[in-house]
């Protein structure tokens, strides 16, 4: 994991580190990047909403690793990166298989600078049919 700083460059690097950790199921790194109060809100193309916390979301990646699932797609396209004092916001498009099928996702990610690093406090994951 590469070091980050309190800037848009550091914020983007944190998301790059998050993608690297998530696609390789590196739960130890996810634990470091995800804030203790993490909230993940997923809305699928049928408008079904699922809300999970840090423990549950890490378990998703742990199960993929334990099942021997292949690494996830690392494709990403950054649409927005913003730092406002110690708060950050990133919007990124991804192609990834979180639920058994590779899907196009739009992620809105909120972060806070805490303990001398960026930590993800909320991920809103939208799974549209197309974009």
């Amino acid at each position: 994991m590469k070091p980050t700083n309190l800037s848009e460059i550091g914020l983007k690097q944190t998301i790059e580190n998050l993608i690297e950790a998530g696609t390789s199921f590196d739960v130890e790194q996810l634990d470091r990047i995800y804030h203790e109060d993490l909230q993940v809100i997923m809305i699928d193309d049928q408008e079904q909403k699922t809300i999970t916390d840090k423990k549950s979301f890490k378990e998703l990646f742990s199960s993929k690793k334990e099942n021997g699932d292949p690494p996830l797609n690392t494709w990403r396209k950054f649409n927005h990166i913003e730092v406002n004092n110690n708060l950050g916001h990133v919007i990124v498009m991804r192609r990834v298989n979180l639920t058994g099928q590779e899907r196009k996702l739009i992620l809105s990610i909120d972060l806070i600078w805490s303990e001398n690093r960026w930590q993800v406090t909320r991920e809103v994951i939208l799974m549209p049919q197309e974009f």
Side-chain angles (χ1 to χ4, degrees), residues 3-15 81 83 118:
T4 61
N5 58 43
L6 187 58
S7 69
E8 287 184 8
I9 293 169
L11 186 62
K12 183 177 181 183
Q13 185 60 58
T14 297
I15 300 303
I81 300 171
V83 172
W118 286 110

Side-chain angles (χ1 to χ4, degrees), residues 3-120:
T4 61
N5 58 43
L6 187 58
S7 69
E8 287 184 8
I9 293 169
L11 186 62
K12 183 177 181 183
Q13 185 60 58
T14 297
I15 300 303
E16 295 282 4
N17 293 343
L18 175 63
I19 291 168
E20 181 180 325
T23 58
S24 64
F25 315 127
D26 186 340
V27 178
E28 183 177 308
Q29 288 304 323
L30 291 173
D31 187 56
R32 180 169 166 73
I33 296 169
Y34 286 143
H35 190 273
E36 286 306 311
D37 297 328
L38 174 72
Q39 180 185 51
V40 178
I41 303 166
M42 287 194 272
I43 302 173
D44 67 19
D45 60 350
Q46 303 299 309
E47 298 182 19
Q48 299 296 311
K49 177 176 65 174
T50 305
I51 299 175
T52 59
D53 60 11
K54 180 178 180 174
K55 181 178 182 269
S56 298
F57 207 54
K58 285 179 15 186
E59 286 172 357
L60 170 69
F61 291 98
S62 289
S63 69
K64 287 185 168 299
K65 185 173 188 170
E66 290 168 9
N67 292 337
D69 289 4
L72 300 176
N73 191 333
T74 59
W75 184 88
R76 76 288 228 142
K77 179 180 178 186
F78 287 89
N79 301 99
H80 177 77
I81 300 171
E82 178 181 1
V83 172
N84 186 0
N85 297 315
N86 69 330
L87 300 176
H89 185 233
V90 174
I91 299 174
V92 61
M93 289 189 280
R94 300 266 296 112
R95 289 189 182 110
V96 69
N97 179 351
L98 286 179
T99 58
Q101 176 183 354
E102 186 161 292
R103 302 286 304 266
K104 294 177 182 177
L105 309 177
I106 300 171
L107 292 92
S108 174
I109 304 173
D110 294 314
L111 301 95
I112 188 167
W113 182 261
S114 180
E115 299 177 14
N116 206 34
R117 67 184 189 273
W118 286 110
Q119 295 181 48
V120 175

